[in-house]
Amino acid sequence: MSAAPRTDPVATRLAGLVAPVVEAAGYDLEELVVTPAGRRSIVRVVVDRDAGVTLDDVAEVSRAVSTALDEHDGGFGSAPYVLEVTSPGVDRPLTEPRHWRRNTGRLVTVPVGPAGSAEQVTARVLEVDGDGVTLAVEAKGKPGAKKRPPTRRQVPWQELGAGRVQVEFGRGRAGEDEVGAEPEDPTAQPDPADDDDGGGQ
């Protein structure tokens, strides 16, 4: 049975120490969790930025955070601790504008609509701005039915719930699916010529 993360003043104090160091290095501090593990504690620091986070970036941030914690005794006094620096996993909810911006082009599930009457939709993130998020919402249909094109929908921030990125196997860069590039407008109608049965194998 794993121990529960600590949400006491120690974690809050550590976040106050770590956040300026992470921001000075050019990253956002997404989460800091302290979990007891026997006689030591595990300090898990989650960082991100628009350009993404590489293994070299993790090593750079780890060194900076470790130095800061050592200078302040880590808030643990003489108790040992283990520092883990990582980037957000694909299962991390999208709750801030920067999260949505960094996942432009990805497929997500998200509740949208006024509080109390929101509907769960599956959609691709098209654009993110100060007003909200533009989604290409996939049409709901019966299994086996011909898939209809998505509907473009602008959702203001106040009507956007926490999104979850959907894992798509075989995808290339943003805007491409398993069989090739999507049209620039994901709501565009298919070209009738695509249904031409002539022309051989």
Side-chain angles (χ1 to χ4, degrees):
M1 183 174 177
S2 60
R6 286 169 53 167
T7 57
D8 59 24
V10 171
T12 301
R13 184 165 62 252
L14 286 180
L17 290 173
V18 170
V21 175
V22 170
E23 291 167 7
Y27 304 85
D28 294 312
L29 175 62
E30 296 292 352
E31 185 178 40
L32 188 150
V33 178
V34 180
T35 305
R39 289 181 294 176
R40 64 181 61 198
S41 295
I42 298 175
V43 181
R44 186 169 185 266
V45 176
V46 181
V47 301
D48 201 8
R49 64 174 175 174
D50 286 359
V53 179
T54 67
L55 291 176
D56 287 342
D57 296 333
V58 167
E60 174 192 356
V61 175
S62 294
R63 287 191 293 269
V65 170
S66 179
T67 298
L69 293 182
D70 288 345
E71 289 176 351
H72 295 84
D73 292 327
F76 299 103
S78 59
Y81 67 91
V82 176
L83 174 64
E84 294 181 357
V85 176
T86 184
S87 59
V90 70
D91 59 342
R92 182 167 178 77
L94 311 181
T95 58
E96 301 288 342
R98 65 177 182 270
H99 300 162
W100 289 93
R101 184 178 68 248
R102 291 165 183 167
N103 283 281
T104 300
R106 303 291 293 274
L107 191 69
V108 302
T109 56
V110 58
V112 298
S117 60
E119 62 171 325
Q120 189 82 6
V121 302
T122 299
R124 196 167 301 281
V125 182
L126 299 181
E127 299 171 9
V128 181
D129 58 29
D131 297 323
V133 176
T134 302
L135 302 172
V137 180
E138 295 193 346
K140 297 179 180 178
K142 296 181 179 179
K146 185 174 181 180
K147 191 173 182 180
R148 291 177 293 165
T151 302
R152 190 181 182 95
R153 179 172 177 178
Q154 169 71 27
V155 183
W157 291 116
Q158 62 268 26
E159 295 186 5
L160 190 72
R164 296 276 181 178
V165 174
Q166 301 302 293
V167 176
E168 297 178 90
F169 296 101
R171 278 186 60 81
R173 62 182 183 275
E176 292 185 357
D177 59 18
E178 291 82 356
V179 294
E182 292 180 351
E184 290 209 0
D185 180 1
T187 64
Q189 298 294 324
D191 187 338
D194 292 341
D195 295 330
D196 184 7
D197 292 330
Q201 301 296 320

